[in-house]
Amino acid sequence: MKLEDFKNIYFVGIGGIGMSAIARYFHSIEKNVYGYDRTSTKLTGELIEEGIQITFEDDLDTIPNQYLNKENTLVVFTPAIPKDHQQLSYFRLNGFTIMKRSQVLGLLSDDLNGVGIAGTHGKTTVSTITAHIFKTSQMGCNAFLGGISRNYQSNLLLTKESPWVILEADEFDRSFLQLHPKIALITSMDADHLDIYGDKSELEKSFHEYAGQIKKDGILVHKKGLDLKNIEVEKYTYSLHDTADYYAQNLTLVEGFYEFDLVHPKGVFEKLQFSYPGKINVENAIGACSVAILAGVKEEEIRAALSSFKGVRRRFDYQIREDNLVFIDDYAHHPKELKESISSVRDIYPNKKISGIFQPHLYTRTRDFAEGFAESLSLLDEVILLDIYPARELPIEGVDSKMIMKNISVPVSLCAKDDLLDLLKEKKLEVLLTLGAGDIDKLVEPIKNMLIEKDA
């Protein structure tokens, strides 16, 4: 059966950022959509408001009868779901058609001109900027994003008449190997997901395999310095400062935002104004612009899109921006992402005290990168460490936030989530960052409200 032949789509793990985009897509084409997720979040609340039904109980009795018909129900799941999940086990034992999220994304995009944005970090921001450039141009686009675009308040963009689809190509569980893009961009291949890959060489091998799946007449764009020499397609590089096929010059900070000239193979786009803060995001924008130029988007369209880009939820996401207090929320959860995020904040606020709250994500990642986390967090003036967010993992003996804490070279304290607001009330804060990929996002609104009330 083809995807369009199924009347009912049941999502196991519907609240995931990638899963929710596909759920929204099927809902938009009037399929019956239902799903399970472990916890209620802002995103699941938005899905429910849009008319998608969700259960938060792993119980067979919560599955509506119409979804128990295996002839017209497609089950979509995320690899983050544990193997002993009751609902998923039932669907497997009873012969339902079951697909990973990445398989569905591959099928949805195969007949379109796919732009696959991959990398161990930066891919969500690059794909969202790319989607905004395409969407506001004459090209238009469809997009399945790994973050919520502030311009569209969604991770799904649809333009039915456009042949282009922007995809966040996720390396976790080798999901991106289901994609065959026309244009692929790779931002980074730093060691990560070593619980999946074992070592960095296996991860790099997977990225090479992804690049090898570009369509025959396709294009590879990658950050300068990545070893992708043996990929036999048309190739271009991009960089912030280093001379590459696409790079910035005359980079100037103007009231917290950057203006720059974009040098490209056919000339220069002068004085582009980017309305999204952070030097790392200028590099992300250069990557997005390179893809847009190669696809045929015009200079004036790129210029307008960069100046109107509003950002991505939980990516350098200003919550408070006053002269006496700044509060930024960021998804950074890898040592290099932390370094780039904190350094970008330091560039904007060089004379202010910068405090950071970090929630480590996964026991394996904490074990593998404890020293790197400590080095990056030491760029702050003060660190508050929360307990590890386990996500899909069971605890590992001897692995906890103290592994990071012992190597941090600036004032640092451990804090339970329930005690965090009381701790912050006692502090004189100038610039505050919340950092991490776990459930730290649930603390953002309470922190913001407390800071506003405290300052009143």
Side-chain angles (χ1 to χ4, degrees), residues 314 317 319 327-330 421 434 439-451:
R314 296 223 65 224
D317 196 358
Q319 303 297 313
F327 174 27
I328 299 169
D329 179 39
D330 197 276
L421 291 181
T434 43
D439 62 357
I440 191 172
D441 61 317
K442 293 184 177 180
L443 296 171
V444 172
E445 198 68 25
I447 292 171
K448 179 180 178 180
N449 293 337
M450 182 275 291
L451 293 175

Side-chain angles (χ1 to χ4, degrees), residues 266-280:
K266 294 184 179 180
V268 181
F269 295 166
E270 295 183 348
K271 293 188 176 181
L272 296 176
Q273 295 176 336
F274 190 38
S275 60
Y276 194 38
K279 192 176 288 184
I280 182 57

Side-chain angles (χ1 to χ4, degrees), residues 54-336:
I54 299 176
T55 179
F56 299 100
E57 296 179 43
D58 179 18
D59 188 331
L60 299 182
D61 291 338
T62 64
I63 304 174
N65 285 335
Q66 73 186 84
Y67 294 88
L68 297 176
N69 183 343
K70 66 181 180 182
E71 302 304 323
N72 57 21
T73 298
L74 170 66
V75 178
V76 185
F77 76 103
T78 169
I81 292 293
K83 293 180 180 178
D84 61 353
H85 192 274
Q86 289 186 60
Q87 292 184 354
L88 189 55
S89 296
Y90 171 84
F91 290 128
R92 282 176 169 149
L93 289 171
N94 287 278
F96 281 74
T97 301
I98 302 173
M99 292 185 182
K100 287 184 179 181
R101 174 191 65 84
S102 55
Q103 292 175 285
V104 176
L105 192 59
L107 291 172
L108 290 174
S109 62
D110 267 352
D111 293 333
L112 296 170
N113 293 331
V115 176
I117 311 293
T120 46
H121 48 85
K123 58 183 173 289
T124 297
T125 303
V126 175
S127 60
T128 309
I129 298 170
T130 304
H132 181 60
I133 294 173
F134 274 69
K135 183 71 173 175
T136 55
S137 76
Q138 290 184 353
M139 310 277 284
C141 75
N142 305 279
F144 294 85
L145 304 173
I148 303 298
S149 165
R150 289 287 186 191
N151 288 84
Y152 307 99
Q153 297 303 318
S154 183
N155 52 352
L156 173 71
L157 306 183
L158 295 175
T159 308
K160 290 182 180 180
E161 64 275 14
S162 176
W164 290 94
V165 57
I166 314 301
L167 306 164
E168 180 162 331
D170 189 2
E171 75 280 1
F172 174 70
D173 197 39
R174 298 177 172 85
S175 293
F176 57 1
L177 298 184
Q178 300 291 334
L179 305 177
H180 299 84
K182 183 176 179 65
I183 301 177
L185 181 143
I186 299 176
T187 66
S188 49
M189 299 190 301
D190 295 305
D192 199 4
H193 301 302
L194 299 186
D195 55 321
I196 299 292
Y197 289 100
D199 58 39
K200 185 181 178 183
S201 65
E202 284 299 311
L203 179 139
E204 291 178 342
K205 189 183 298 182
S206 193
F207 273 96
H208 277 79
E209 192 174 342
Y210 166 68
Q213 294 183 173
I214 297 170
K215 292 179 179 178
K216 288 184 179 179
D217 59 344
I219 300 170
L220 172 63
V221 181
H222 64 84
K223 173 78 179 294
K224 186 178 179 181
L226 298 183
D227 182 9
L228 290 159
K229 298 183 180 68
N230 297 324
I231 309 300
E232 295 183 359
V233 295
E234 189 177 347
K235 286 188 289 189
Y236 298 90
T237 60
Y238 75 95
S239 177
L240 178 60
H241 292 303
D242 296 340
T243 301
D245 295 308
Y246 297 84
Y247 67 97
Q249 63 182 14
N250 300 323
L251 185 66
T252 306
L253 186 62
V254 181
E255 297 182 356
F257 298 101
Y258 284 97
E259 181 179 280
F260 63 98
D261 297 341
L262 174 62
V263 181
H264 59 89
K266 294 184 179 180
V268 181
F269 295 166
E270 295 183 348
K271 293 188 176 181
L272 296 176
Q273 295 176 336
F274 190 38
S275 60
Y276 194 38
K279 192 176 288 184
I280 182 57
N281 288 321
V282 176
E283 183 171 86
N284 290 332
I286 293 167
C289 288
S290 66
V291 169
I293 291 169
L294 290 166
V297 180
K298 298 176 181 177
E299 176 184 350
E300 59 269 24
E301 294 173 328
I302 292 173
R303 187 178 297 277
L306 292 184
S307 67
S308 64
F309 183 69
K310 295 179 181 178
V312 191
R313 191 184 296 173
R314 296 223 65 224
R315 269 65 173 188
F316 213 101
D317 196 358
Y318 274 102
Q319 303 297 313
I320 299 173
R321 194 179 186 190
E322 304 292 343
D323 290 340
N324 64 328
L325 179 63
V326 172
F327 174 27
I328 299 169
D329 179 39
D330 197 276
Y331 190 73
H333 60 285
H334 182 279
K336 188 164 185 179

